[in-house]
Amino acid sequence: MPITARLDVATPGHRYPILIGPGLLAEGEAWGGLPAARHAVVVSNTTVHPLHGAALEGRVAHAGYAEVHRVLLPDGEAHKDWSALQSIFDHLLSCGCDRKTVLFALGGGVVGDLAGFAAATYMRGVRFVQVPTTLLAQVDSSVGGKTGINHPLGKNMIGAFHQPVRVVIDLDTLSTLPTREYVSGLAEVIKYGPIADASFLDWIEANLGALLARDGAALAHAVRRSCEIKAAVVGADERESGLRAILNFGHTFGHAIEAALGYGAWLHGEAVASGMVLAARLSSELGLVPPAFVDRLERLLARAGLPVQAPALPFDEWMRHMRVDKKAEGGELRFVVIERIGSAALRTAPDALVQRVVERHGGAALPRPAAAA
């Protein structure tokens, strides 16, 4: 099947394509012109590799790599840590991989972040290709070069900026995604409307049923528009010195939820969905958007099957985790807020106001079991 969309990410030091379409794991056009090397290393996990690993490894071997290696990681956010990263380094070194080695990240955001961080640091930097198989990774984490691992005290606090040489998005991989994982990814799609494109938010509301049904045309549009927005933001601010922070709408609260409950108790998109509601309510309390917008966003997330109430955490627990957020400066919290639908900014907020928001609008919702479908 042909590539249905090609977008370019252009930063001051890099330019690379995002290729989108159904069946791209089997489409030769998507794999031509890759960097030449003897060694290629497919990094995946024990859930994704049995589904798509053989197709990718066959395509990589056909692209001319003499040795195609495989590193399989345990599945889940709980394993986005030093141990998993070390297992990638162990394999690279034991196989004699050199500076021309190309890594291929096959999986969701955890695999992409780990493989990317390994690529950023092995021999001070080797090239890698993102092959995202989850909706969340396709619309967010595979694009933009953020790589890293979690620390018990904070999510994604250890990492590096390292751009891929290509992103290949095979939309057909979404058919194998469990419902809970797929719905979690919708949170990152929905995010782009409030922060950058009011008409896209309208479109998501009108087409949510098709998205939930994994309709091919709806998915192609949602993934393409999400990637267009992210590519534009990354191109203007590669290293998150300003504008790029708007992509973290809901993430300050969401990352705190993930860290407080234990990584994997709530999926990333679930925590972000709850965090977006809190961030929208904070925006309203600051007088930036009317309460009706908050209600609108909450209804949309609830229709998608995402949590809209935060877990009931003590306020000091919220603050302990949010103070290590990367957007904090000098110990002062900064939140991504909505100034108007389609436009976001970074703002500070008094602790008392933040406390009022989380205590009024955080609920007693319990985390869903990690094994839920």
Side-chain angles (χ1 to χ4, degrees), residues 35-73:
R38 177 175 181 80
H39 299 276
V41 180
V42 173
V43 180
S44 189
N45 66 36
T46 54
T47 299
V48 173
H49 189 272
L51 299 171
H52 308 296
L56 177 60
E57 289 172 12
R59 183 53 61 188
V60 170
H62 191 264
Y65 296 95
E67 297 185 32
V68 180
H69 309 279
R70 176 191 308 159
V71 179
L72 295 187
L73 306 173

Short mmCIF file of all heavy atoms in Angstrom, two decimals, residues 35-73:
data_model
loop_
_atom_site.label_atom_id
_atom_site.label_comp_id
_atom_site.label_asym_id
_atom_site.label_seq_id
_atom_site.Cartn_x
_atom_site.Cartn_y
_atom_site.Cartn_z
N PRO A 35 20.18 4.97 6.28
CA PRO A 35 21.64 5.10 6.42
C PRO A 35 22.33 3.75 6.24
O PRO A 35 21.85 2.71 6.72
CB PRO A 35 21.81 5.60 7.86
CG PRO A 35 20.51 6.26 8.20
CD PRO A 35 19.46 5.49 7.46
N ALA A 36 23.45 3.75 5.54
CA ALA A 36 24.19 2.52 5.31
C ALA A 36 24.94 2.12 6.57
O ALA A 36 25.50 2.95 7.28
CB ALA A 36 25.17 2.72 4.16
N ALA A 37 24.96 0.82 6.86
CA ALA A 37 25.67 0.30 8.02
C ALA A 37 25.73 -1.22 7.91
O ALA A 37 24.95 -1.84 7.17
CB ALA A 37 24.97 0.70 9.32
N ARG A 38 26.62 -1.81 8.68
CA ARG A 38 26.65 -3.27 8.74
C ARG A 38 25.60 -3.79 9.72
O ARG A 38 24.90 -4.76 9.46
CB ARG A 38 28.04 -3.76 9.19
CG ARG A 38 28.10 -5.27 9.35
CD ARG A 38 29.49 -5.76 9.66
NE ARG A 38 29.51 -7.22 9.77
CZ ARG A 38 29.54 -8.06 8.74
NH1 ARG A 38 29.57 -7.57 7.51
NH2 ARG A 38 29.53 -9.36 8.93
N HIS A 39 25.48 -3.09 10.86
CA HIS A 39 24.61 -3.57 11.93
C HIS A 39 23.31 -2.77 12.00
O HIS A 39 23.32 -1.54 11.98
CB HIS A 39 25.31 -3.44 13.29
CG HIS A 39 26.57 -4.22 13.42
ND1 HIS A 39 26.59 -5.55 13.77
CD2 HIS A 39 27.86 -3.84 13.25
CE1 HIS A 39 27.85 -5.97 13.82
NE2 HIS A 39 28.64 -4.95 13.51
N ALA A 40 22.20 -3.48 12.12
CA ALA A 40 20.91 -2.88 12.46
C ALA A 40 20.39 -3.61 13.70
O ALA A 40 20.53 -4.83 13.80
CB ALA A 40 19.91 -3.02 11.32
N VAL A 41 19.82 -2.84 14.63
CA VAL A 41 19.33 -3.44 15.87
C VAL A 41 17.87 -3.05 16.04
O VAL A 41 17.54 -1.87 16.14
CB VAL A 41 20.15 -2.95 17.09
CG1 VAL A 41 19.61 -3.60 18.37
CG2 VAL A 41 21.63 -3.29 16.90
N VAL A 42 16.99 -4.05 16.06
CA VAL A 42 15.57 -3.82 16.31
C VAL A 42 15.33 -3.92 17.81
O VAL A 42 15.57 -4.97 18.42
CB VAL A 42 14.71 -4.85 15.55
CG1 VAL A 42 13.23 -4.71 15.96
CG2 VAL A 42 14.88 -4.67 14.05
N VAL A 43 14.89 -2.82 18.40
CA VAL A 43 14.55 -2.80 19.82
C VAL A 43 13.03 -2.82 19.93
O VAL A 43 12.34 -1.96 19.38
CB VAL A 43 15.11 -1.54 20.52
CG1 VAL A 43 14.75 -1.54 22.00
CG2 VAL A 43 16.62 -1.45 20.33
N SER A 44 12.51 -3.82 20.62
CA SER A 44 11.07 -3.96 20.76
C SER A 44 10.76 -4.51 22.15
O SER A 44 11.63 -4.52 23.02
CB SER A 44 10.52 -4.87 19.65
OG SER A 44 9.10 -4.85 19.63
N ASN A 45 9.52 -4.96 22.36
CA ASN A 45 9.21 -5.59 23.64
C ASN A 45 8.52 -6.94 23.40
O ASN A 45 8.21 -7.31 22.27
CB ASN A 45 8.38 -4.67 24.54
CG ASN A 45 7.00 -4.37 24.00
OD1 ASN A 45 6.35 -5.21 23.39
ND2 ASN A 45 6.53 -3.15 24.23
N THR A 46 8.29 -7.65 24.48
CA THR A 46 7.78 -9.02 24.38
C THR A 46 6.33 -9.09 23.94
O THR A 46 5.85 -10.17 23.59
CB THR A 46 7.93 -9.72 25.74
OG1 THR A 46 7.30 -8.92 26.76
CG2 THR A 46 9.40 -9.91 26.09
N THR A 47 5.63 -7.96 23.93
CA THR A 47 4.25 -7.93 23.44
C THR A 47 4.18 -7.58 21.96
O THR A 47 3.47 -8.23 21.18
CB THR A 47 3.41 -6.91 24.24
OG1 THR A 47 3.40 -7.29 25.62
CG2 THR A 47 1.99 -6.84 23.72
N VAL A 48 4.92 -6.58 21.55
CA VAL A 48 4.84 -6.08 20.17
C VAL A 48 5.62 -6.96 19.19
O VAL A 48 5.16 -7.20 18.06
CB VAL A 48 5.33 -4.62 20.11
CG1 VAL A 48 5.42 -4.13 18.66
CG2 VAL A 48 4.43 -3.71 20.92
N HIS A 49 6.78 -7.42 19.59
CA HIS A 49 7.62 -8.14 18.64
C HIS A 49 6.93 -9.37 18.03
O HIS A 49 7.04 -9.60 16.80
CB HIS A 49 8.95 -8.54 19.27
CG HIS A 49 9.92 -9.08 18.27
ND1 HIS A 49 9.98 -10.42 17.93
CD2 HIS A 49 10.85 -8.45 17.49
CE1 HIS A 49 10.90 -10.59 17.01
NE2 HIS A 49 11.45 -9.43 16.72
N PRO A 50 6.22 -10.19 18.79
CA PRO A 50 5.55 -11.33 18.16
C PRO A 50 4.52 -10.92 17.10
O PRO A 50 4.22 -11.70 16.20
CB PRO A 50 4.86 -12.03 19.35
CG PRO A 50 5.68 -11.66 20.52
CD PRO A 50 6.10 -10.24 20.27
N LEU A 51 4.01 -9.71 17.19
CA LEU A 51 3.00 -9.23 16.24
C LEU A 51 3.63 -8.64 14.98
O LEU A 51 3.13 -8.85 13.87
CB LEU A 51 2.12 -8.17 16.91
CG LEU A 51 1.32 -8.64 18.13
CD1 LEU A 51 0.67 -7.44 18.82
CD2 LEU A 51 0.26 -9.66 17.72
N HIS A 52 4.69 -7.87 15.14
CA HIS A 52 5.22 -7.10 14.01
C HIS A 52 6.72 -7.24 13.80
O HIS A 52 7.26 -6.68 12.84
CB HIS A 52 4.89 -5.60 14.22
CG HIS A 52 3.46 -5.33 14.52
ND1 HIS A 52 2.46 -5.58 13.60
CD2 HIS A 52 2.84 -4.82 15.62
CE1 HIS A 52 1.29 -5.25 14.12
NE2 HIS A 52 1.48 -4.79 15.34
N GLY A 53 7.40 -7.97 14.68
CA GLY A 53 8.86 -8.03 14.60
C GLY A 53 9.38 -8.69 13.33
O GLY A 53 10.32 -8.20 12.71
N ALA A 54 8.77 -9.80 12.93
CA ALA A 54 9.27 -10.50 11.74
C ALA A 54 9.16 -9.63 10.49
O ALA A 54 10.07 -9.61 9.65
CB ALA A 54 8.51 -11.81 11.55
N ALA A 55 8.05 -8.88 10.38
CA ALA A 55 7.87 -8.02 9.22
C ALA A 55 8.94 -6.94 9.17
O ALA A 55 9.52 -6.67 8.11
CB ALA A 55 6.48 -7.39 9.25
N LEU A 56 9.21 -6.31 10.32
CA LEU A 56 10.22 -5.25 10.33
C LEU A 56 11.61 -5.83 10.09
O LEU A 56 12.39 -5.26 9.30
CB LEU A 56 10.19 -4.50 11.66
CG LEU A 56 11.26 -3.41 11.80
CD1 LEU A 56 11.12 -2.35 10.72
CD2 LEU A 56 11.22 -2.76 13.18
N GLU A 57 11.94 -6.92 10.74
CA GLU A 57 13.28 -7.48 10.56
C GLU A 57 13.51 -7.92 9.12
O GLU A 57 14.61 -7.75 8.57
CB GLU A 57 13.48 -8.65 11.53
CG GLU A 57 13.61 -8.18 12.97
CD GLU A 57 13.61 -9.32 13.97
OE1 GLU A 57 13.73 -10.49 13.55
OE2 GLU A 57 13.50 -9.03 15.18
N GLY A 58 12.47 -8.45 8.48
CA GLY A 58 12.60 -8.80 7.08
C GLY A 58 12.83 -7.59 6.20
O GLY A 58 13.66 -7.61 5.29
N ARG A 59 12.11 -6.52 6.50
CA ARG A 59 12.25 -5.30 5.72
C ARG A 59 13.64 -4.68 5.93
O ARG A 59 14.28 -4.19 4.99
CB ARG A 59 11.15 -4.32 6.12
CG ARG A 59 11.14 -3.02 5.34
CD ARG A 59 11.12 -3.23 3.85
NE ARG A 59 9.94 -3.96 3.39
CZ ARG A 59 9.80 -4.39 2.14
NH1 ARG A 59 10.75 -4.20 1.25
NH2 ARG A 59 8.69 -5.03 1.79
N VAL A 60 14.13 -4.71 7.18
CA VAL A 60 15.45 -4.15 7.49
C VAL A 60 16.55 -4.96 6.79
O VAL A 60 17.49 -4.39 6.22
CB VAL A 60 15.67 -4.11 9.02
CG1 VAL A 60 17.11 -3.77 9.35
CG2 VAL A 60 14.72 -3.09 9.65
N ALA A 61 16.43 -6.28 6.83
CA ALA A 61 17.42 -7.12 6.15
C ALA A 61 17.42 -6.84 4.65
O ALA A 61 18.48 -6.77 4.00
CB ALA A 61 17.13 -8.60 6.42
N HIS A 62 16.23 -6.64 4.08
CA HIS A 62 16.11 -6.36 2.65
C HIS A 62 16.71 -5.00 2.30
O HIS A 62 17.12 -4.77 1.15
CB HIS A 62 14.64 -6.42 2.24
CG HIS A 62 14.42 -6.41 0.75
ND1 HIS A 62 14.14 -5.25 0.04
CD2 HIS A 62 14.46 -7.42 -0.16
CE1 HIS A 62 14.01 -5.56 -1.24
NE2 HIS A 62 14.20 -6.86 -1.40
N ALA A 63 16.77 -4.10 3.28
CA ALA A 63 17.33 -2.77 3.05
C ALA A 63 18.85 -2.78 2.97
O ALA A 63 19.46 -1.74 2.70
CB ALA A 63 16.88 -1.81 4.15
N GLY A 64 19.47 -3.94 3.24
CA GLY A 64 20.91 -4.05 3.01
C GLY A 64 21.78 -4.18 4.24
O GLY A 64 23.01 -4.17 4.12
N TYR A 65 21.20 -4.33 5.41
CA TYR A 65 22.01 -4.49 6.62
C TYR A 65 22.47 -5.95 6.72
O TYR A 65 21.64 -6.87 6.70
CB TYR A 65 21.22 -4.08 7.85
CG TYR A 65 20.86 -2.60 7.84
CD1 TYR A 65 19.62 -2.19 7.36
CD2 TYR A 65 21.77 -1.64 8.25
CE1 TYR A 65 19.29 -0.84 7.32
CE2 TYR A 65 21.45 -0.29 8.21
CZ TYR A 65 20.21 0.11 7.74
OH TYR A 65 19.89 1.43 7.69
N ALA A 66 23.75 -6.16 6.86
CA ALA A 66 24.30 -7.52 6.87
C ALA A 66 23.93 -8.28 8.13
O ALA A 66 23.74 -9.50 8.10
CB ALA A 66 25.82 -7.47 6.71
N GLU A 67 23.86 -7.58 9.25
CA GLU A 67 23.54 -8.21 10.52
C GLU A 67 22.37 -7.48 11.16
O GLU A 67 22.44 -6.27 11.41
CB GLU A 67 24.74 -8.20 11.47
CG GLU A 67 25.94 -8.99 10.95
CD GLU A 67 27.07 -9.04 11.96
OE1 GLU A 67 26.78 -9.05 13.18
OE2 GLU A 67 28.24 -9.06 11.53
N VAL A 68 21.28 -8.19 11.40
CA VAL A 68 20.09 -7.63 12.03
C VAL A 68 19.93 -8.27 13.40
O VAL A 68 19.68 -9.48 13.51
CB VAL A 68 18.82 -7.86 11.18
CG1 VAL A 68 17.60 -7.25 11.87
CG2 VAL A 68 19.00 -7.26 9.79
N HIS A 69 20.13 -7.48 14.43
CA HIS A 69 20.06 -7.96 15.80
C HIS A 69 18.71 -7.60 16.41
O HIS A 69 17.98 -6.75 15.90
CB HIS A 69 21.18 -7.34 16.65
CG HIS A 69 22.54 -7.46 16.04
ND1 HIS A 69 23.29 -8.59 16.14
CD2 HIS A 69 23.27 -6.57 15.31
CE1 HIS A 69 24.45 -8.41 15.51
NE2 HIS A 69 24.46 -7.19 14.99
N ARG A 70 18.41 -8.21 17.54
CA ARG A 70 17.12 -8.01 18.20
C ARG A 70 17.34 -7.85 19.70
O ARG A 70 18.07 -8.63 20.32
CB ARG A 70 16.23 -9.22 17.94
CG ARG A 70 14.88 -9.20 18.63
CD ARG A 70 14.22 -10.57 18.51
NE ARG A 70 14.18 -11.02 17.11
CZ ARG A 70 14.04 -12.29 16.75
NH1 ARG A 70 13.95 -13.24 17.68
NH2 ARG A 70 14.00 -12.61 15.47
N VAL A 71 16.72 -6.83 20.28
CA VAL A 71 16.70 -6.66 21.73
C VAL A 71 15.24 -6.58 22.16
O VAL A 71 14.50 -5.69 21.72
CB VAL A 71 17.43 -5.36 22.18
CG1 VAL A 71 17.36 -5.23 23.70
CG2 VAL A 71 18.87 -5.37 21.70
N LEU A 72 14.81 -7.51 23.00
CA LEU A 72 13.43 -7.52 23.48
C LEU A 72 13.41 -7.08 24.94
O LEU A 72 14.09 -7.68 25.79
CB LEU A 72 12.81 -8.91 23.34
CG LEU A 72 12.63 -9.42 21.91
CD1 LEU A 72 11.84 -10.73 21.93
CD2 LEU A 72 11.93 -8.39 21.04
N LEU A 73 12.60 -6.07 25.22
CA LEU A 73 12.46 -5.51 26.56
C LEU A 73 11.16 -5.99 27.19
O LEU A 73 10.21 -6.33 26.48
CB LEU A 73 12.47 -3.98 26.49
CG LEU A 73 13.65 -3.34 25.76
CD1 LEU A 73 13.41 -1.84 25.62
CD2 LEU A 73 14.95 -3.62 26.50
#
